[in-house]
């Protein structure tokens, strides 16, 4: 997946990210060293020498290029999230935590058929063009994506603002691929959005977890509480691919009492085994003063207001940490669909140049797994909603339904594998019941958002639908809801 992160900290030695980015100021301590595998190293040097001597194109055998390719291959073979970061990728990693970068606005990973869309980012060229989570990009400007690495595909999709790019997309349920032309733009991600709904209910959407997410959320909550009595809250994490770990902790801290566990990590080294709690030390940005902490100043009412959290198959990483923590602490009802299952931590280790200058490249290495407060592993299983709700009253949209468990080399345990297969089989059975594919399209938070409508019904104590009812009953209830919205 191309993006959880601990906040970006510029130190001389290391930066730790978790996404799908997370950074800590402390240098990760390696496990006990093992003897060097001399026979395997000798084999590597033999292959290296053969390439240098015999490969047909000499310009492809430069030492720097061969070694970069070797590093990239070594890391990509571990799991879907470990990777070598060249200069461009290393710089893009830093841009991604600051909320502004150039491109189309897609969160992607590699699939055997091409580039898999994990989630389109709100209010970006990709979202406006109608690209959906689960789409597979098979061609970019007439170049086959499966023949290239993820980083090569991402480079093709990025470019100067106002330039056009042609995509060929495979979508489940369609006989022919879609051909879409998109104009690139500067992607400015507004992390938090808020909308007031009738009867004292508020809708807050988080599209990514960034440096200012927790404070922006606190501003909205404070304003809502002053304006009127907050009776209910819908927190929307659908299509949120993750972001900064401390931002996720800050969001949970807004709704849960102080010093409660949000998430824990377990890995091979001592400093990989940690508990993160609802306390300023775990969510404040590097260099941020306690006086700037708006989460700590929130009124007590915010920690008691009835809540629904919406998730779907494209809710990953930090989104799963938040929804899992609120679910375990029984602070919110989780509605929607099984989340993605991105429950591993990546640490970014900058590679220092030989001349001692600032690092411009690095490696992103999976170092631990995430666990919810009750000890559930998120990896390859995700968060199961308390109430499953389809995309629309007519059922789910056609989708390839690809999650972490479907990615090559993903981290797993036998227990996780069995649980994942069971959940996938249940989802496939439900999908098979849908007679007609839904025609209704909507943007998250608009008047046609079926899942949001059901969340509001739930908070108000009214009857809600799941989207798996007979079409006639669903249509009747939806029409009634639309009439009420127009009043």
């Amino acid at each position: 997946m191309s993006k959880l992160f601990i906040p970006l900290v510029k130190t001389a030695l290391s930066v730790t990210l978790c996404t799908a980015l997370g950074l800590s100021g402390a240098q990760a301590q390696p496990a006990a060293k093992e003897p060097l595998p001399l026979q395997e190293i000798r084999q590597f040097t033999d292959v290296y020498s053969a390439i240098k001597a015999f490969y047909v194109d000499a310009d492809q055998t430069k030492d720097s290029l061969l070694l970069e390719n070797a590093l990239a291959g070594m890391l990509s073979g571990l799991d879907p999230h470990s990777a070598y970061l060249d200069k461009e990728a290393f710089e893009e990693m830093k841009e991604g935590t600051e909320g502004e970068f150039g491109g189309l606005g897609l969160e992607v990973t590699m699939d055997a058929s091409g580039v898999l869309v994990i989630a389109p980012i709100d209010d970006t060229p990709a979202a406006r063009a109608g690209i959906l989570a689960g789409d597979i990009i098979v061609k970019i400007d007439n170049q086959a994506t499966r023949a290239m690495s993820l980083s090569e595909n991402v480079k093709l999709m990025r470019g100067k603002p106002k330039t056009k790019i042609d995509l060929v997309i495979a979508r489940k349920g369609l006989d022919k691929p879609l051909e879409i032309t998109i104009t690139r733009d500067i992607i400015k991600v507004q992390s938090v959005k808020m909308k007031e709904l009738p009867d004292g209910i508020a809708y807050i959407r988080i599209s990514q977890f960034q440096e200012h997410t927790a404070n922006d959320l606190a501003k909205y909550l404070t304003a809502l509480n002053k304006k009127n009595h907050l009776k209910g809250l819908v927190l929307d994490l659908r299509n949120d691919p993750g972001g900064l770990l401390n931002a996720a902790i800050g969001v949970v801290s807004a709704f849960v009492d102080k010093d409660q566990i949000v998430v824990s990590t377990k890995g091979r080294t001592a400093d990989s085994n940690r508990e993160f709690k609802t306390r300023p030390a775990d969510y404040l940005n590097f260099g941020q003063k306690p006086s700037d902490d708006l989460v700590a100043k929130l009124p007590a009412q915010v920690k008691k207001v009835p809540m629904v959290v919406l998730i779907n198959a494209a809710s990953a990483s930090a989104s799963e940490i938040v929804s899992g923590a609120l679910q375990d602490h029984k602070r919110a009802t989780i509605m929607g669909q099984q989340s993605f299952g991105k429950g591993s931590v990546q640490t970014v280790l900058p590679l220092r140049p030989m001349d001692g200058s600032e690092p411009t490249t690095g490696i992103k290495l999976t170092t631990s797994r995430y666990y919810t407060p009750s000890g559930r592993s998120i990896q390859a299983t995700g968060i199961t909603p308390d109430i499953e709700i389809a995309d629309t009253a007519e059922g789910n949209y056609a989708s390839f339904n690809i999650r972490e468990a479907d990615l090559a080399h993903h981290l797993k345990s036998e227990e996780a594998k069995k649980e994942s297969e069971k959940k996938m089989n249940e989802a496939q059975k439900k999908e098979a019941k849908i007679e007609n594919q839904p025609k209704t399209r909507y943007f998250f938070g608009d008047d046609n958002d079926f899942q949001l409508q059901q969340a509001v019904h739930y908070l108000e104590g009214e009857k809600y639908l799941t989207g798996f009812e007979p079409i006639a009953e669903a249509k009747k209830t939806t029409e009634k809801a639309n009439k009420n919205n127009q009043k």
Side-chain angles (χ1 to χ4, degrees):
M1 186 170 176
S2 171
K3 287 190 204 81
L4 191 31
F5 324 124
I6 306 172
L8 179 62
V9 178
K10 296 179 180 177
T11 66
L13 295 178
S14 97
V15 183
T16 299
L17 288 87
C18 24
T19 117
L21 283 171
L23 307 180
S24 74
Q27 174 69 44
Q29 297 300 315
K33 290 184 178 180
E34 297 179 0
L36 288 173
L38 297 179
Q39 184 173 343
E40 287 79 2
I41 291 175
R42 187 176 297 113
Q43 187 177 43
F44 175 84
T45 58
D46 287 345
V47 172
Y48 190 91
S49 298
I51 294 172
K52 293 287 288 184
F54 304 117
Y55 186 70
V56 62
D57 292 327
D59 60 346
Q60 295 296 310
T61 64
K62 294 178 180 178
D63 291 333
S64 59
L65 181 59
L66 288 178
L67 289 171
E68 280 197 357
N69 289 337
L71 289 172
M74 183 164 48
L75 288 155
S76 64
L78 296 173
D79 66 77
H81 310 295
S82 294
Y84 170 72
L85 302 173
D86 61 16
K87 290 182 180 180
E88 187 173 353
F90 192 76
E91 187 61 31
E92 288 173 1
M93 174 204 74
K94 293 187 288 185
E95 290 175 357
T97 68
E98 295 165 1
E100 180 175 328
F101 52 93
L104 304 179
L106 288 172
E107 189 71 25
V108 296
T109 191
M110 282 305 294
D111 175 77
S113 302
V115 175
L116 170 66
V117 176
I118 300 299
I121 300 172
D122 290 357
D123 302 323
T124 62
R128 290 190 289 269
I131 294 180
L132 304 177
D135 283 349
I136 293 179
I137 302 171
V138 294
K139 285 187 178 182
I140 300 173
D141 284 339
N142 212 34
Q143 297 186 56
T145 56
R146 67 178 179 179
M148 296 179 285
S149 67
L150 179 60
S151 61
E152 289 172 326
N153 281 297
V154 169
K155 286 178 183 178
L156 280 180
M157 286 188 280
R158 288 184 177 249
K160 293 182 179 180
K162 309 307 178 186
T163 59
K164 295 184 182 295
I165 182 172
D166 296 321
L167 304 179
V168 176
I169 291 174
R171 180 176 295 169
K172 184 178 178 182
L174 298 182
D175 296 332
K176 297 180 179 180
L178 296 170
E179 296 183 5
I180 300 177
T181 299
I182 305 179
T183 301
R184 298 180 179 91
D185 204 349
I186 295 296
I187 308 301
K188 296 182 179 180
V189 180
Q190 184 178 345
S191 175
V192 186
K193 296 179 182 178
M194 187 273 289
K195 182 169 79 170
E196 293 184 63
L197 303 175
D199 303 322
I201 294 176
Y203 168 79
I204 293 182
R205 170 156 178 75
I206 299 178
S207 57
Q208 279 190 351
F209 289 84
Q210 300 171 352
E211 290 181 6
H212 305 294
T213 297
N215 264 1
D216 288 347
L217 171 68
K219 289 176 185 177
Y220 281 130
L221 291 172
T222 301
L224 283 168
N225 193 70
K226 286 181 178 179
K227 189 173 182 181
N228 52 39
H229 184 63
L230 191 59
K231 297 180 181 178
L233 175 67
V234 179
L235 180 64
D236 188 357
L237 301 180
R238 291 171 296 178
N239 278 31
D240 183 331
L244 298 171
L245 174 59
N246 69 322
I249 297 168
V251 169
V252 176
S253 299
F255 302 111
V256 175
D257 290 336
K258 191 176 180 181
D259 292 326
Q260 300 300 306
I261 296 175
V262 176
V263 67
S264 61
T265 61
K266 296 178 184 179
R268 290 176 59 195
T269 62
D271 59 357
S272 295
N273 302 320
R274 288 194 59 186
E275 284 186 345
F276 297 90
K277 297 185 177 182
T278 51
R279 56 191 178 193
D282 285 347
Y283 66 73
L284 288 179
N285 293 318
F286 181 72
Q288 191 175 7
K289 300 175 182 178
S291 58
D292 298 327
D293 181 8
L294 301 184
V295 172
K297 300 175 184 178
L298 281 168
Q301 168 63 18
V302 172
K303 289 181 168 54
K304 299 176 182 179
V305 62
M307 281 183 67
V308 166
V309 177
L310 294 175
I311 61 173
N312 65 7
S315 302
S317 201
S319 301
E320 296 173 292
I321 287 174
V322 172
S323 54
L326 294 176
Q327 187 179 52
D328 279 4
H329 287 297
K330 302 187 185 307
R331 179 62 189 84
T333 299
I334 312 300
M335 299 179 74
Q337 297 163 30
Q338 189 80 15
S339 64
F340 185 79
K342 167 66 173 65
S344 60
V345 184
Q346 282 69 51
T347 298
V348 171
L349 301 173
L351 300 177
R352 180 177 292 282
M354 295 298 292
D355 62 7
S357 59
E358 283 296 309
T360 58
T361 63
I363 64 171
K364 179 157 65 93
L365 188 66
T366 299
T367 54
S368 55
R369 290 178 173 86
Y370 282 118
Y371 296 84
T372 69
S374 66
R376 293 180 294 159
S377 173
I378 295 172
Q379 177 61 23
T381 57
I383 301 300
T384 302
D386 300 305
I387 301 172
E388 187 174 3
I389 306 288
D391 296 323
T392 76
E394 302 161 300
N396 284 323
Y397 292 133
S399 169
F400 287 101
N401 289 323
I402 295 177
R403 293 177 169 85
E404 174 80 10
D406 303 301
L407 302 180
H409 310 301
H410 73 272
L411 296 177
K412 59 185 177 182
S413 64
E414 284 304 309
E415 181 181 349
K417 182 179 178 182
K418 291 176 182 177
E419 184 67 17
S420 178
E421 289 174 350
K422 178 183 176 183
K423 290 171 182 174
M424 287 186 68
N425 288 335
E426 290 174 353
Q428 288 169 357
K429 287 178 182 178
K430 284 194 172 184
E431 186 175 351
K433 293 179 182 178
I434 301 171
E435 297 177 1
N436 301 303
Q437 285 300 331
K439 296 181 176 62
T440 305
R441 288 287 175 187
Y442 62 90
F443 291 99
F444 295 134
D446 72 15
D447 293 339
N448 293 318
D449 188 339
F450 175 73
Q451 292 177 326
L452 174 56
Q453 292 171 1
Q454 306 321 304
V456 171
H457 292 329
Y458 177 84
L459 287 171
E460 292 180 336
E462 299 178 358
K463 180 181 178 181
Y464 60 86
L465 295 174
T466 66
F468 300 108
E469 295 85 0
I471 298 296
E473 179 185 347
K475 184 177 180 182
K476 182 178 179 181
T477 305
T478 302
E479 288 175 349
K480 180 180 177 182
N482 289 337
K483 287 181 181 179
N484 291 335
N485 286 337
Q486 293 171 1
K487 290 179 181 181

